[in-house]
Amino acid sequence: MPCVFPVLSIKVLAVVEAAHDDPGRIRSHGLMFLAGVVLSFIALALLLLGLRDFGLPVGWGFQLQVPVVVASLALLLFAIGLNLLGAFDVGVSLQNVGGGLAEQGGAKGAFFTGMLAVVVAAPCVGPLAAGALGVALTQPPMVLISVSAMMGVGLALPFLTLSLFPSLLKFIPKPGAWMDTFKQALAFPMFASAIWMVWVLTIQSGAQGLLYIASAFLLFALAIWVRKLSGVLAGLIAALALLGSIGAIVLVARLPAASSTQTLTEGERPWSRELVEELRAEGRPVFIDVTAAWCVTCQLNKMRVIDDEAVRMAFSLHNVARLRADWTNRNDEIAALIAEHGGAGVPLYILYPTGNEDAEVLPTVLTRDGLIAALEAAAW
């Protein structure tokens, strides 16, 4: 899951630091990380159930449909990157990076790192567990909660295993100057993730959203720099810059949603139920790409498969209409479409064959040969 790697790199850093530490402390961190991940997955499931009970059609990954959440995560990842580079320190332990909420031994840091991992990574987990989530969303609440909790266990398992069996860490060199270099190198996955979040925000909120998040980055960096200067004035400027950074994030919430048509590529048209009926009445097969900018699996499928030259030729050869249902921002019609086809979130690929046959739901992880074969079958 590409979007979870940067967050887990925080825990890799913690493992490196603690590799030659007390085994009991290492186990404590692993269990706290597990608790943070599992409880956050359960909280997401409960929030999802609550929103559905209120009649709102929502699906897995809904938290990244809120631009202010995306902007906040971008700023947080940017701040973590600066911290790893040594621009400022939070606490006395490297493990405190998980949110600046560390106590003795970094247990709280491990817990809140687990929470951060879930917020950022949950949309990536969804496509790989689409079948389980799709079924769970139609079952009683305890089923969804149980499935979510087990997904959390799976996400935390690698780090937990290392924590419970510290002997596996014997391959890590003894602490030394190399740790500072390693720590700084881990800043760049954080910056890469922040860039990804900024890109998502520009699709959700347009150029104005980009201006606000760039201002937030600038003001936060100013606050960090000024804070190192002495004097009351420097402290006041740092506080005002930090408040300005937070204010820029809050302003994102006031922006209207940008049009989803800006993400369309050549040959695609925006999805609507009426357009599907019109195209099917013409006797054309219809391919619907239900996607979102914050869905890494969606982007990988598009780059590797959907935009492949051979696949494009297959679309043209078989006269298949390409529609895109962009779920980057909240859209109740698209959420209903996902639910109708047994999905829990994105990606979802729906292929209507010629005639009046029912739609086929394609795998969430596409292959070039598989998609070409499906297009050919749909045309007959």
Side-chain angles (χ1 to χ4, degrees):
M1 298 177 296
C3 55
V4 76
F5 290 157
V7 178
L8 290 187
S9 69
I10 299 173
K11 298 316 300 172
V12 172
L13 185 60
V15 167
V16 168
E17 185 193 45
H20 302 280
D21 205 340
D22 174 36
R25 181 168 174 259
I26 299 175
R27 293 188 185 98
S28 172
H29 290 167
L31 292 173
M32 289 298 289
F33 181 70
L34 172 67
V37 170
V38 172
L39 290 177
S40 297
F41 262 104
I42 292 174
L44 274 179
L46 291 173
L47 182 57
L48 184 59
L49 287 168
L51 293 173
R52 288 168 68 91
D53 285 345
F54 274 106
L56 298 176
V58 293
W60 197 259
F62 66 93
Q63 71 272 20
L64 292 185
Q65 291 181 318
V66 183
V68 70
V69 172
V70 173
S72 299
L73 286 172
L75 181 61
L76 177 60
L77 291 168
F78 177 69
I80 293 174
L82 291 179
N83 177 267
L84 291 171
L85 285 178
F88 68 100
D89 294 319
V90 179
V92 295
S93 167
L94 296 180
Q95 288 157 314
N96 295 351
V97 176
L101 296 170
E103 59 183 3
Q104 183 178 2
K108 277 188 179 179
F111 180 86
F112 284 96
T113 300
M115 292 181 61
L116 178 62
V118 172
V119 174
V120 176
C124 272
V125 181
L128 302 179
L133 283 171
V135 172
L137 287 170
T138 65
Q139 302 300 311
M142 281 308 300
V143 175
L144 177 59
I145 293 171
S146 299
V147 169
S148 299
M150 291 310 299
M151 289 171 64
V153 172
L155 178 62
L157 191 58
F159 180 71
L160 180 64
T161 301
L162 290 175
S163 302
L164 295 180
F165 301 98
S167 60
L168 298 174
L169 301 176
K170 61 185 178 182
F171 62 89
I172 296 179
K174 292 183 179 181
W178 67 271
M179 288 179 59
D180 285 335
T181 302
F182 182 67
K183 173 187 175 184
Q184 293 169 10
L186 291 178
F188 296 97
M190 295 298 159
F191 291 141
S193 294
I195 291 172
W196 168 52
M197 289 290 182
V198 170
W199 174 70
V200 172
L201 183 65
T202 59
I203 293 176
Q204 291 178 322
S205 301
Q208 196 70 27
L210 175 61
L211 175 63
Y212 286 156
I213 191 60
S215 299
F217 284 1
L218 174 65
L219 290 169
F220 184 84
L222 175 63
I224 296 303
W225 178 72
V226 173
R227 188 67 184 86
K228 293 184 177 182
L229 304 177
S230 59
V232 176
L233 180 60
L236 178 60
I237 294 174
L240 290 175
L242 184 59
L243 288 174
S245 179
I246 296 172
I249 297 297
V250 172
L251 287 175
V252 171
R254 302 175 61 88
L255 294 176
S259 171
S260 61
T261 58
Q262 64 177 314
T263 63
L264 295 177
T265 56
E266 184 180 356
E268 287 184 320
R269 300 167 67 180
W271 169 84
S272 71
R273 295 183 186 274
E274 295 76 19
L275 182 55
V276 172
E277 293 178 2
E278 177 185 326
L279 292 168
R280 297 203 72 193
E282 295 174 2
R284 296 183 64 184
V286 179
F287 174 79
I288 306 174
D289 177 7
V290 188
T291 184
W294 40 261
C295 170
V296 176
T297 307
C298 304
Q299 306 311 318
L300 290 175
N301 280 337
K302 184 168 179 59
M303 288 188 295
R304 292 188 310 106
V305 179
I306 299 176
D307 285 344
D308 181 85
E309 185 62 30
V311 173
R312 286 179 173 271
M313 289 180 63
F315 275 114
S316 177
L317 177 64
H318 302 297
N319 196 29
V320 180
R322 294 177 55 191
L323 306 184
R324 176 183 289 201
D326 194 316
W327 207 44
T328 302
N329 287 321
R330 179 185 163 191
N331 185 302
D332 293 349
E333 278 291 307
I334 295 177
L337 175 70
I338 294 170
E340 288 169 14
H341 290 85
V346 291
L348 177 66
Y349 303 105
I350 305 168
L351 182 58
Y352 285 96
T354 55
N356 296 319
E357 297 180 34
D358 293 335
E360 176 187 3
V361 176
L362 303 181
T364 55
V365 180
L366 297 174
T367 64
R368 183 182 66 173
D369 292 342
L371 181 53
I372 291 175
L375 295 175
E376 182 179 355
W380 289 91

